[in-house]
Amino acid sequence: MVEEKIPSSVLRHIPVLADFLLEKVCFPPNAILVDATVGYGGHSLLLGARLGPEGMIIGLDVDPQCIETARSRLEGLPCRIILERENFDQLKDVLVQQKIDTVDFILADLGFCSGQIEDPRRGLSFQQPMPLDMRLDDRLEKTAADWIHRTDEKKLADLLYQYGEERASRRIARFIAEQRRHRPIQTTTELASLVCRALRQPDHRPGRKIHPATRTFQALRIAVNDELGCLERLLKAAPDLLRPDGRIAVISFHSLEDRIVKHDFKRNQAAGIYELVTPRPITANADERKANPRSRSARLRIAQRKTDGTSARSARNDRGR
Ligand SMILES: C[S@@+](CC[C@H](N)C(=O)[O-])C[C@H]1O[C@@H](n2cnc3c(N)ncnc32)[C@H](O)[C@@H]1O
């Protein structure tokens, strides 16, 4: 019933790798789950259906619109729902405020929702002219336009190389620096055309798999939102926030994120803190790829906090677990 009020952009966002996630994660009806990137509540809706009135979902998102959408979508669940507009790198503080020491499950489905990329105010897409913003959290000070206009050419090139794995980073940075000397670059389509000119590639080429500006846009989005730093801080906090046997699942959408998750899980495995539930990343099968193109680049890794993990605190939460 609630779904009838939800805009179509929300319903178009299909939670990625949900079947596999549900298969690999089991918890009692009174579990405490953290959805660190609640988005439109797609994963939470599925996970929450397994909880009873004693269970709880704590959902975080930096985007207040996502929080509101998730609130109306999740209101019919039987469990307690706590939704906060908060960066997931602050998860520990959120749990402290709720007087919770440890949780049963942490999910982070990284990146952005379909509706966010279509939202013209966010400037995440070069399919239509949008202001160069790219902030998922509009409390952040610097927009993509600020990064483009205030970063010196060499640093900009390094950023495009490091976060976009863009081999032509120096050439693109040179074109940007040259352009901004004459006139500011104001829209996503202007930037995309500039990148195409730098790469000597046309904007539209039928059958091309990725647009030439994709890597530049990824790099800027990562820088604007400090995506890798936030992920590292969440992963660092996680072992102390999971109860023994609790699990953490991360769905990433590019190799930089996946590499960070892989190394973190392996480091914690070597330290006797985690067991790897997925020794290799799980990817979408052909059916899911067809039904949901976003799932094509998704990689899911799950780790389980060991019962006798040595370095993390052996804390229990106040619910007697
Ligand atoms: C892929 S979507 C999540 C979709 C959700 N799993 C669903 O099924 O509806 C990722 C969400 O994470 C949010 N996000 C990105 N970085 C974040 C961060 N550091 N802290 C909290 N939320 C973040 C985005 O605003 C976006 O809503």
Side-chain angles (χ1 to χ4, degrees):
M1 304 307 136
V2 172
E3 301 274 345
E4 282 169 18
K5 293 189 273 176
I6 308 287
S8 61
S9 62
V10 172
L11 298 177
R12 274 203 302 283
H13 185 94
I14 309 169
V16 168
L17 294 168
D19 289 344
F20 191 85
L21 197 64
L22 290 172
E23 188 187 307
K24 285 289 173 193
V25 180
C26 77
F27 42 79
N30 66 344
I32 304 178
L33 315 183
V34 169
D35 189 343
T37 52
V38 71
Y40 299 149
H43 285 106
S44 277
L45 205 54
L46 298 168
L47 293 163
R50 291 188 177 174
L51 294 174
E54 301 294 309
M56 187 193 292
I57 294 183
I58 298 162
L60 307 183
D61 206 293
V62 285
D63 180 346
Q65 280 178 359
C66 286
I67 291 290
E68 285 324 305
T69 304
R71 201 179 297 292
S72 60
R73 280 189 102 187
L74 302 180
E75 69 187 359
L77 288 176
C79 57
R80 239 184 107 189
I81 310 282
I82 293 171
L83 295 170
E84 295 224 6
R85 182 195 184 183
E86 192 51 274
N87 195 304
F88 56 58
D89 68 358
Q90 300 299 308
L91 175 59
K92 186 171 179 183
D93 285 352
V94 172
L95 296 182
V96 167
Q97 273 165 25
Q98 297 296 329
K99 300 191 171 42
I100 293 169
D101 284 340
T102 57
V103 302
D104 297 77
F105 180 52
I106 299 173
L107 169 66
D109 173 21
L110 302 172
F112 46 83
C113 300
S114 325
Q116 288 172 315
I117 200 156
E118 290 163 15
D119 181 349
R121 289 162 306 171
R122 293 200 186 273
L124 289 169
S125 165
F126 43 76
Q127 303 303 334
Q128 46 173 311
M130 299 181 182
L132 270 172
D133 191 317
M134 297 197 190
R135 290 170 304 166
L136 294 175
D137 182 347
D138 61 15
R139 298 168 299 188
L140 291 172
E141 267 177 34
K142 278 171 81 178
T143 64
D146 295 327
W147 281 87
I148 287 270
H149 294 106
R150 295 198 212 150
T151 310
D152 82 41
E153 184 183 325
K154 178 171 179 318
K155 281 201 181 128
L156 197 54
D158 291 347
L159 184 154
L160 298 181
Y161 185 73
Q162 207 187 338
Y163 294 158
E165 299 179 310
E166 172 58 75
R167 277 181 293 167
S169 57
R170 302 217 171 282
R171 199 173 154 75
I172 296 171
R174 192 164 6 108
F175 267 64
I176 291 174
E178 179 59 24
Q179 170 71 49
R180 72 190 181 188
R181 265 194 285 278
H182 302 293
R183 192 168 53 85
I185 305 159
Q186 277 167 337
T187 66
T188 54
T189 42
E190 260 182 71
L191 177 63
S193 300
L194 187 71
V195 174
C196 289
R197 285 206 300 283
L199 299 178
R200 295 195 198 94
Q201 291 190 36
D203 276 38
H204 299 288
R205 192 197 294 154
R208 178 168 56 195
K209 271 198 182 143
I210 69 161
H211 188 282
T214 303
R215 293 179 201 283
T216 298
F217 272 66
Q218 172 184 304
L220 283 169
R221 205 198 66 227
I222 290 176
V224 167
N225 296 290
D226 186 20
E227 291 182 13
L228 305 183
C230 291
L231 176 61
E232 279 167 356
R233 291 189 286 279
L234 172 72
L235 293 173
K236 188 161 179 241
D240 278 345
L241 303 179
L242 285 171
R243 72 166 177 81
D245 292 335
R247 290 185 173 190
I248 174 164
V250 183
I251 303 173
S252 55
F253 290 87
H254 54 76
S255 55
L256 297 173
E257 287 169 343
D258 185 55
R259 212 172 295 149
I260 290 174
V261 180
K262 174 173 142 185
H263 289 143
D264 178 85
F265 284 7
K266 288 214 160 146
R267 231 183 353 260
N268 277 306
Q269 182 192 33
I273 294 167
Y274 282 165
E275 246 169 65
L276 301 187
V277 178
T278 54
R280 289 169 180 282
I282 302 302
T283 53
N285 63 24
D287 286 347
E288 182 169 357
R289 283 163 180 255
K290 205 169 153 202
N292 183 8
R294 258 191 93 246
S295 70
R296 286 180 197 154
S297 49
R299 282 163 171 251
L300 165 65
R301 292 183 188 267
I302 306 177
Q304 176 165 318
R305 174 83 167 74
K306 279 188 163 184
T307 317
D308 56 355
T310 42
S311 83
R313 278 179 304 143
S314 60
R316 300 283 186 281
N317 63 35
D318 59 354
R319 306 170 90 224
R321 238 171 254 121

